[in-house]
Amino acid sequence: MLRTFRNTLKEQIPLYIFVTVLFLMGVVFGALMVNALTLEQQQDISRYLGDFVTNYKPGGMQDAAGFWSIALLNLKWLGLIWILGLSVIGLPGILVLDFLKGVLIGFSVGCLIGEYTWSGLLFALVSIAPHNLVLIPALLVCSVAAVTFSLNIIRSRVMLRRHGSMAKPFMNYSLMVISMAVIILGISTFETWVTPVMISWVAPILEQASTASTL
């Protein structure tokens, strides 16, 4: 069992490297997108961030409804990866999702740093980084599992190698996704009840930075 796991992991290392690099490329692209915004768009984002910091209340999302809102958003992303992995044509979609996730994070961090410089970086480290340190690896693990399963479909069906059954690979693939879903529920709990408290510690610093920039 352990030897099989090690062999599988060794075979998947190139895929892990590939999806990780793709995600990081998305982060860089998202950060660079901030510089491509028009002046009006930058002002809109600045106004939105300023309103968020000024009116932020840490108890706003710290309830069951807030938890399920965050959890369902993350689980939908995971479920989409799982569905795309069930078909050959879904293979490019998995890679696009990994890239887009990187773009979203890179753009968010880039906006905060562009607006508040070092204070924005501190805010990003508190509000974006903690839960994503677990969420992103979970999504990348599922992406690798989805790509692997999709490639198995290509080998067993498209290339007419029909002697192997897909039942066991499908079960392994689905169990992997379910285990990552449990982890995502755990990190959603952190994001619901712990992250808002951490944000409340840093929000006054951003408010001061925002006030100083308008003077």
Side-chain angles (χ1 to χ4, degrees), residues 12-189:
Q12 292 179 344
I13 285 178
L15 281 178
Y16 278 108
I17 295 175
F18 179 73
V19 297
T20 301
V21 170
L22 189 65
F23 168 77
L24 294 176
M25 288 174 59
V27 172
V28 173
F29 183 79
L32 294 176
M33 281 179 60
V34 177
N35 297 324
L37 296 175
T38 63
L39 179 60
E40 183 180 355
Q41 291 172 328
Q42 292 176 1
Q43 290 174 343
D44 289 340
I45 292 176
S46 176
R47 191 179 305 112
Y48 171 79
L49 290 174
D51 291 341
F52 173 80
V53 171
T54 302
N55 302 318
Y56 180 75
K57 296 179 180 179
M61 293 289 287
Q62 291 175 296
D63 53 23
F67 165 76
W68 286 113
S69 176
I70 293 172
L72 288 176
L73 179 63
N74 293 329
L75 291 175
K76 284 178 182 177
W77 199 280
L78 179 67
L80 187 55
I81 292 175
W82 178 73
I83 292 173
L84 291 173
L86 297 176
S87 64
V88 175
I89 59 174
L91 181 58
I94 300 167
L95 304 179
V96 170
L97 285 179
D98 292 334
F99 182 79
L100 286 178
K101 191 65 175 178
V103 170
L104 291 174
I105 292 178
F107 184 79
S108 300
V109 175
C111 285
L112 287 170
I113 295 177
E115 182 65 23
Y116 299 109
T117 59
W118 291 108
S119 299
L121 178 60
L122 176 61
F123 189 82
L125 290 174
V126 168
S127 62
I128 298 176
H131 60 274
N132 277 304
L133 287 176
V134 178
L135 177 62
I136 296 304
L139 293 177
L140 293 182
V141 166
C142 288
S143 297
V144 170
V147 170
T148 301
F149 186 77
S150 185
L151 292 176
N152 285 336
I153 294 176
I154 295 175
R155 285 192 290 263
S156 63
R157 298 294 183 265
V158 178
M159 299 179 67
L160 303 179
R161 293 170 55 183
R162 300 178 180 273
H163 57 276
S165 172
M166 292 299 296
K168 186 175 180 180
F170 173 76
M171 288 298 298
N172 292 336
Y173 171 46
S174 299
L175 287 174
M176 171 66 76
V177 173
I178 291 173
S179 63
M180 292 301 105
V182 173
I183 293 176
I184 285 177
L185 288 175
I187 198 60
S188 297
T189 302

